[in-house]
């Protein structure tokens, strides 16, 4: 039923990429962060998170981002040895202060608390302030799945998205991730920006010469929706002359108030409620001032509602029903959230992670700068 | 700053409508349900919920729906005297069995439990099975706001929406409602179907001769997106030849997987996790078999995170920032979720609720059928 090799995000053109072994990549990334002062277990978390993104086909959040984290550590905004502590605690709801530690470390601690509280009370929510960019949101939601629970992970982020009815880039792409266990892998995993697309998607379209459709971007100069050639649109976004559009697009008629409303809910829970920065106040990782990113996690204990076996039965039955619906003629197949990422991961564990040569060479350079052996194994000189 | 009289959903053409006093409408609706066997307090809840929808400009969920509930009671699928009971209880997570009671009564009981648990543990979630259509989702989210909490309300519903990549109407419009308190009214209230529009919107477009834009509906015969003249599109939806599209539209490129993924998450929490029916298995209110609708409620205690005053300060500051962004030239104004419904409510409390003459006459007829005095006061013979 599943194709043998599947990649959600294909390396195009293949000759610009090398394939590297994910395990050697993970241990090298951990060494990088250890060299920068992180404890071994913290460095392992950051490395696992970045490599998971590459494995799952979300390269925008993978090792190509390593320079930003390194920059944040060097400039002092990321605290390599944070005192992450519980500020408030009502049992099932906890407020955590990340002490400006690496977002992945803070996020992992927070989700572990949410899971532990869900074991005790049936549900656990953890709000987090003073954190940093935490990588892919789905990573934390999946942590709950390993305990047979439903996981939710929300974060705010640097602002890039127009709030409906405005000429602005006030909101972040504020993703919503929800994961749930299934009897057999892949787990259910919804992990989506509340904008129609994240900026990484525009980058891919620009690189591959594709045309941007309706609902992705808006000019901040005159409010026109931007469609067509992706390269100038990407340029306009980068220069601050354009913004991404919320899911549902520019106008209320197509649901733009829904996408920006969802982004606002993420901001409300992750930013406002936690004491973190919100929207335009969230800083870049490499800014000398800490980014003060906010997160919100939830873990729901399925056994507070029914046995895990009964849940599996019911969930699989629904998924089977969806899988046997008549397929739309333009769809390649009927996908359940999480399947693409999982198939990509399975594929890349076997044939390696494609890294663009520029990224690969930059990792090598970083290794030299830090006086580290570059132990990343190349499996194939092209993707 | 606020317009004096504002209505989210305008009665068009005005001469087809009468304006009625909301208080007399509410007490008459309660009498209808009392006549059908509901306890006074239960009948009051149903009446309050239906009239709230009319006040807020969501007439599709208002008193025009009363015949369906009456039909459900008459056919025996709605249990007028339900034994609503807690099935499982882990403290902050509770499973409630609605015993096929009126959705509004079951939903209100459930949200009260969520609020009570959030007082104790910081958060409370309540899953509900064996319920019925509960009216507007936002009604329950707003209950939390009255306790200074953030409220979440999810429900599944009769299937009408195409899952991405399929030719089907497998999913319900599965709304997501989130409400949060503000220092002064209106409270924040996001209440949105996970389809681009609910079917009521297509009805309004059909009635007013407007043209359906991209992203609303799909033909189940050939998978074409349906745009243009709304009347035949509505007809096709009613006949089962077309479906509503998820938020984000037909294709993944415009985010259709996000809208249908969100609908699936609602189904997962409200339907699968609770033991209720899901998707296509949810029955009509008037079906002889109980609908077995599922809901999921959450209440988050703000004081688990910070003082209410601090939260108000922060939230208002964010809202002020949004309000002062440059307005898009095509937007009438910059709206925060909840403002339109609140202004409509304020307006209709003063000048009355517009009821279509057909609806009004049918209420009168229902009153006669039940041998009740028709005590609804008409304020104006036209809207």
């Amino acid at each position: 039923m599943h194709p043998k090799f599947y990649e959600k995000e294909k390396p195009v053109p293949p000759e610009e990429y090398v394939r590297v072994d994910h395990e050697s990549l993970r241990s090298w990334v951990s060494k990088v962060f250890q060299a920068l002062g992180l404890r071994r277990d913290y460095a392992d978390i950051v490395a696992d998170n970045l490599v998971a993104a590459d494995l799952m086909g979300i390269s925008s959040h993978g090792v190509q981002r390593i320079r930003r984290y390194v920059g944040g550590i060097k400039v002092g905004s990321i605290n390599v040895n944070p005192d992450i502590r519980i500020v408030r605690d009502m049992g099932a709801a906890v407020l955590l202060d990340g002490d400006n530690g690496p977002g992945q470390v803070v996020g992992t601690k927070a989700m572990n608390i949410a899971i532990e509280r869900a074991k005790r009370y049936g549900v656990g929510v953890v709000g987090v302030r003073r954190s940093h960019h935490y990588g892919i949101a789905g990573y934390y939601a999946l942590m709950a799945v390993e305990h047979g629970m439903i996981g939710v992970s929300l974060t705010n982020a640097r602002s890039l998205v127009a709030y409906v009815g405005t000429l602005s880039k006030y909101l972040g792409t504020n993703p919503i991730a929800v994961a749930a266990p299934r009897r057999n892998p892949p787990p259910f995993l919804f992990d989506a920006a509340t904008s129609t697309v994240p900026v990484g998607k525009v980058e891919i379209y620009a690189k591959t010469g594709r045309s941007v459709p309706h609902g992705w971007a808006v000019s901040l100069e005159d409010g026109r929706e931007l469609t067509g050639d992706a390269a100038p649109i990407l340029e306009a976004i980068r220069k601050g002359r354009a913004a991404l559009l919320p899911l549902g697009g520019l106008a209320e008629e197509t649901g733009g108030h829904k996408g920006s409303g969802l982004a606002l809910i993420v901001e409300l829970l992750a930013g406002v409620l936690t004491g973190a920065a919100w929207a335009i106040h969230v800083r870049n990782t490499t800014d000398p001032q800490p980014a003060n990113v906010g997160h919100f996690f939830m873990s729901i204990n399925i056994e507070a509602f029914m046995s895990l076996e009964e849940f599996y039965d019911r969930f699989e039955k629904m998924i089977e029903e969806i899988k046997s619906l008549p397929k739309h003629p333009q769809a390649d197949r009927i996908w359940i959230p999480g399947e693409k990422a999982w198939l990509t991961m399975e594929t890349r564990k076997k044939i390696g992670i494609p890294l663009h040569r520029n990224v690969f060479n930059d990792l090598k350079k970083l290794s030299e700068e830090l006086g580290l052996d570059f132990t990343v194994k190349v499996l194939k000189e092209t993707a």
Side-chain angles (χ1 to χ4, degrees), chain A residues 257-278:
Chain A
H257 59 306
K258 298 192 179 187
S260 54
L262 289 169
L264 211 54
I265 290 165
V266 173
E267 204 65 71
L268 169 70
L269 294 173
V272 177
L273 183 64
T274 59
W278 64 75

Side-chain angles (χ1 to χ4, degrees), chain A residues 182-194:
Chain A
R182 292 176 58 183
R183 179 166 279 125
N184 299 305
F188 177 90
L189 174 61
F190 177 88
D191 183 359
T194 48

Side-chain angles (χ1 to χ4, degrees), chain A residues 55-107:
Chain A
L55 283 171
M56 290 161 84
I58 316 164
S59 67
S60 59
H61 290 58
V63 296
Q64 72 157 38
R65 221 184 173 93
I66 200 168
R67 282 279 184 192
R68 294 196 218 178
Y69 296 112
V70 170
I73 292 170
K74 287 195 168 163
V75 82
S77 82
I78 297 180
N79 179 358
V80 292
N81 191 19
D83 175 23
I84 303 166
R85 62 192 179 84
I86 291 177
V87 180
R88 290 200 180 209
D89 189 342
M90 278 190 70
V94 168
L95 175 64
L96 199 69
D97 184 302
D99 196 20
N100 303 311
Q104 292 86 349
V105 173
V106 177

Side-chain angles (χ1 to χ4, degrees), chain A residues 59-176:
Chain A
S59 67
S60 59
H61 290 58
V63 296
Q64 72 157 38
R65 221 184 173 93
I66 200 168
R67 282 279 184 192
R68 294 196 218 178
Y69 296 112
V70 170
I73 292 170
K74 287 195 168 163
V75 82
S77 82
I78 297 180
N79 179 358
V80 292
N81 191 19
D83 175 23
I84 303 166
R85 62 192 179 84
I86 291 177
V87 180
R88 290 200 180 209
D89 189 342
M90 278 190 70
V94 168
L95 175 64
L96 199 69
D97 184 302
D99 196 20
N100 303 311
Q104 292 86 349
V105 173
V106 177
T108 299
K109 288 222 171 188
M111 195 61 180
N112 276 328
I113 296 170
I115 292 164
E116 190 247 318
R117 300 312 171 95
K119 282 184 186 161
R120 233 190 293 172
Y121 301 106
V123 64
V125 298
V126 178
V128 179
R129 66 190 189 195
R130 297 211 303 150
S131 184
H132 275 280
H133 191 280
Y134 74 175
I136 46 171
Y139 185 84
Y140 310 94
L142 285 171
M143 285 172 63
V145 167
E146 286 176 31
H147 296 263
M149 297 190 184
I150 295 169
V152 177
S153 163
L154 314 173
T155 188
N156 62 16
R158 286 276 299 162
S159 59
L160 264 176
V161 182
Y163 183 81
V164 68
T166 71
L167 289 178
S168 72
K169 43 175 199 134
Y170 182 80
L171 295 166
T173 48
N174 298 5
I176 296 174

Side-chain angles (χ1 to χ4, degrees), chain A residues 134-337:
Chain A
Y134 74 175
I136 46 171
Y139 185 84
Y140 310 94
L142 285 171
M143 285 172 63
V145 167
E146 286 176 31
H147 296 263
M149 297 190 184
I150 295 169
V152 177
S153 163
L154 314 173
T155 188
N156 62 16
R158 286 276 299 162
S159 59
L160 264 176
V161 182
Y163 183 81
V164 68
T166 71
L167 289 178
S168 72
K169 43 175 199 134
Y170 182 80
L171 295 166
T173 48
N174 298 5
I176 296 174
V178 178
R182 292 176 58 183
R183 179 166 279 125
N184 299 305
F188 177 90
L189 174 61
F190 177 88
D191 183 359
T194 48
S195 50
T196 305
V197 291
V199 73
K201 196 87 172 184
V202 186
E203 287 167 3
I204 292 167
Y205 269 51
K207 214 181 135 196
T208 51
R210 290 170 73 181
S211 185
V212 165
H214 282 287
W216 283 28
V218 59
S219 160
L220 295 181
E221 287 160 345
D222 57 11
R224 266 180 319 113
E225 198 177 351
L226 298 174
T227 55
D229 194 4
I233 295 174
L234 180 63
E235 178 75 2
I237 292 170
R238 283 186 174 152
K239 292 273 165 69
R241 289 184 280 105
L244 293 173
L245 281 169
L247 179 60
L250 186 64
E252 290 207 8
E253 200 176 41
T254 52
H257 59 306
K258 298 192 179 187
S260 54
L262 289 169
L264 211 54
I265 290 165
V266 173
E267 204 65 71
L268 169 70
L269 294 173
V272 177
L273 183 64
T274 59
W278 64 75
I280 45 169
H281 307 291
V282 175
R283 287 195 167 84
N284 260 330
T285 310
T286 52
D287 192 288
Q289 292 297 312
N292 198 6
V293 174
H295 319 304
F296 190 86
F297 301 100
M298 174 159 66
S299 189
I300 299 172
N301 190 338
I302 289 168
E303 289 183 330
F305 298 89
M306 58 180 59
S307 74
L308 208 46
E309 279 308 308
E310 188 181 356
F311 176 80
Y312 286 151
D313 283 345
R314 293 170 59 83
F315 200 21
E316 285 315 301
K317 209 169 159 197
M318 181 169 82
I319 288 169
E320 275 162 32
E321 284 174 1
I322 294 172
K323 288 281 189 181
S324 53
L325 293 171
K327 195 176 74 61
H328 190 283
Q330 269 143 54
D332 59 341
R333 47 181 288 199
I334 298 168
W335 292 101
I336 302 299

Side-chain angles (χ1 to χ4, degrees), chain A residues 20-35 38-56 62-63 66 104 136 139 146 345-346 348-350 352-353 355 360 363 367 372-379:
Chain A
V20 306
D21 160 68
H22 73 283
E23 283 172 353
S24 67
L25 180 64
R26 190 190 291 120
S27 62
W28 175 79
V29 172
S30 175
K31 292 218 174 73
V32 167
F33 286 101
Q34 289 174 56
L38 268 75
R39 283 161 41 175
R40 166 75 193 265
D41 55 339
Y42 285 3
D44 281 349
I45 289 171
V46 178
D48 191 56
N49 177 283
L50 295 179
V51 174
D54 282 313
L55 283 171
M56 290 161 84
V63 296
I66 200 168
Q104 292 86 349
I136 46 171
Y139 185 84
E146 286 176 31
M345 191 173 70
E346 291 296 297
R348 292 184 174 181
K349 279 181 177 170
K350 285 181 199 126
I353 290 169
L355 291 181
F360 182 76
L363 298 186
S367 215
L372 276 178
D373 282 348
F374 188 63
T375 48
V376 179
K377 275 186 218 146
V378 174
L379 296 181

